[in-house]
C-alpha cells in the first residue's frame, strides 16, 4: 500500500541555519503530496502542498518540490527561526475519492537562539 | 470561532470504562475524520465520514464506534477502554469527497490517558 517515509528526528538547529527534512513516498499512480506542521499543544495545519510532478509548494519560507523520479518531497528552509520549532509531517493522498491522507511518522525540529 | 473543536481536551479514566469524544466543525465541510496519534507522534487514520456516511473504516477494534448525527459533527465512542488506547485523538474535516485534495483542518486534539 501507499506509504511515506521521513527522516528520523529530532533535528536540532541554531537560529538562521539551513533546514532539510527528507521525505520519500511509495504510491501507485500520481498522488498529491503535503507537508503539515504541528506546533506544541496544537493540531496539525497545512504548510504546503504539490499536486503533480515538478510542482514546488512554498509557504512561510519553506519549500518542497515534487520529484517523481526520486519519489521525494524534501522540505527546506534557508534560515530557520526559533518559532519554527514544531513537528513536521510529510503526507500523501492518492488521487481517488474515498482515500485518506497518509502521514509519515513526523520529524521534530528544535531551533535554539 | 474555532473551525474544528473537540471536547474534552484532556480525559483521564480507568481501564474498562466507556468514554466519548465530541467533534464539531463550522467550516461547512462534508467530510470528517478521526486520527489517532501515538506517543511517538505517529498519526493513523481511524474513520472518515462523508455527509454522515461512513467511507473509511481502518482496522480499528469494534470497541471504537464513530457516530455522525449530522455533517458538522463526528463523535467517537470508546467502550471497555484499554491501556493501549492512551493517545491523542484528532478530529479533522475537509471540503467535499470528490474534491478532497488532502487539505485537512484539524482540531487541537483530545489527550486520552487510560490508567
Amino acid at each position: 500500500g501507499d506509504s511515506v517515509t521521513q527522516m528520523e528526528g529530532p533535528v536540532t538547529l541554531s537560529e538562521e541555519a539551513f533546514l532539510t527534512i527528507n521525505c520519500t513516498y511509495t504510491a501507485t499512480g500520481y498522488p498529491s503530496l503535503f507537508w503539515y506542521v504541528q506546533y506544541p499543544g496544537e493540531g496539525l495545519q497545512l504548510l504546503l502542498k504539490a499536486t503533480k510532478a515538478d510542482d514546488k509548494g512554498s509557504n512561510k519560507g519553506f519549500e518542497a518540490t515534487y520529484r517523481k523520479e526520486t519519489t521525494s518531497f524534501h522540505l527546506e528552509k534557508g534560515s530557520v527561526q526559533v518559532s519554527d520549532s514544531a513537528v513536521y509531517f510529510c503526507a500523501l493522498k492518492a488521487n481517488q475519492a474515498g482515500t485518506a491522507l497518509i502521514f509519515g511518522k513526523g520529524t521534530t525540529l528544535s531551533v535554539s537562539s | 470561532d474555532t473551525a474544528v473543536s473537540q471536547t474534552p481536551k484532556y480525559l483521564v479514566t480507568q481501564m474498562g470504562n466507556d468514554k466519548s469524544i465530541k467533534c464539531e466543525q463550522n467550516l461547512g465541510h462534508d467530510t470528517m475524520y478521526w486520527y489517532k496519534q501515538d506517543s511517538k507522534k505517529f498519526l493513523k487514520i481511524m474513520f472518515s465520514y462523508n455527509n454522515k456516511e461512513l467511507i473509511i473504516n481502518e482496522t480499528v477494534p469494534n470497541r471504537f464506534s464513530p457516530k455522525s448525527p449530522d455533517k458538522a459533527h463526528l463523535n467517537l465512542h470508546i467502550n471497555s477502554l484499554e491501556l493501549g488506547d492512551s493517545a491523542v485523538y484528532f478530529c479533522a474535516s475537509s471540503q467535499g469527497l470528490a474534491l478532497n485534495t488532502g487539505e485537512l483542518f484539524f482540531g487541537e486534539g483530545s489527550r486520552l490517558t487510560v490508567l
Side-chain angles (χ1 to χ4, degrees):
Chain A
D2 296 353
S3 65
V4 175
T5 303
Q6 351 183 173
M7 61 188 286
E8 294 276 336
V11 174
T12 304
L13 296 173
S14 298
E15 211 165 20
E16 298 183 5
F18 184 85
L19 168 72
T20 300
I21 300 178
N22 290 338
C23 171
T24 56
Y25 67 90
T26 302
T28 52
Y30 303 96
S32 296
L33 301 174
F34 306 83
W35 278 99
Y36 276 77
V37 59
Q38 183 180 24
Y39 297 105
E42 298 182 11
L44 282 74
Q45 52 186 278
L46 179 66
L47 180 60
L48 54 84
K49 67 180 183 182
T51 57
K52 61 183 188 296
D54 300 324
D55 268 3
K56 178 187 280 188
S58 61
N59 186 22
K60 299 181 182 179
F62 290 89
E63 292 183 340
T65 300
Y66 189 142
R67 300 279 187 209
K68 181 168 169 290
E69 63 276 12
T70 54
T71 61
S72 65
F73 193 55
H74 304 321
L75 182 68
E76 296 182 336
K77 186 175 186 182
S79 176
V80 293
Q81 305 300 311
V82 172
S83 57
D84 293 326
S85 298
V87 182
Y88 292 82
F89 293 89
C90 186
L92 73 80
K93 186 179 177 311
N95 277 329
Q96 55 187 101
T99 57
L101 202 58
I102 296 171
F103 288 91
K105 292 191 174 182
T107 302
T108 299
L109 170 66
S110 179
V111 181
S112 57
S113 57
Chain B
D1 271 67
T2 306
V4 181
S5 58
Q6 306 178 218
T7 54
K9 195 169 182 179
Y10 299 96
L11 188 52
V12 180
T13 188
Q14 299 288 328
M15 267 198 311
N17 283 351
D18 303 339
K19 290 293 177 187
S20 292
I21 306 172
K22 295 185 177 182
C23 179
E24 175 182 5
Q25 54 94 5
N26 63 6
L27 297 167
H29 289 164
D30 293 333
T31 308
M32 296 184 71
Y33 310 79
W34 278 109
Y35 278 85
K36 179 181 179 181
Q37 186 176 48
D38 64 22
S39 59
K40 295 183 179 179
K41 301 290 187 183
F42 182 53
L43 267 168
K44 190 167 166 31
I45 180 72
M46 299 175 70
F47 302 103
S48 175
Y49 271 73
N50 177 254
N51 274 322
K52 303 193 296 175
E53 181 183 345
L54 180 66
I55 55 169
I56 294 174
N57 184 354
E58 291 295 306
T59 308
V60 176
N62 291 338
R63 300 181 293 104
F64 290 78
S65 53
K67 285 188 172 54
S68 182
D70 55 61
K71 71 176 190 178
H73 295 84
L74 180 61
N75 303 323
L76 183 65
H77 188 76
I78 315 170
N79 290 327
S80 303
L81 279 156
E82 299 178 358
L83 292 176
D85 297 333
S86 295
V88 181
Y89 292 85
F90 284 99
C91 178
S93 71
S94 66
Q95 177 61 41
L97 182 61
L99 301 176
N100 183 0
T101 61
E103 181 166 1
L104 270 58
F105 292 78
F106 281 82
E108 293 186 344
S110 297
R111 181 176 293 277
L112 171 64
T113 302
V114 182
L115 304 175

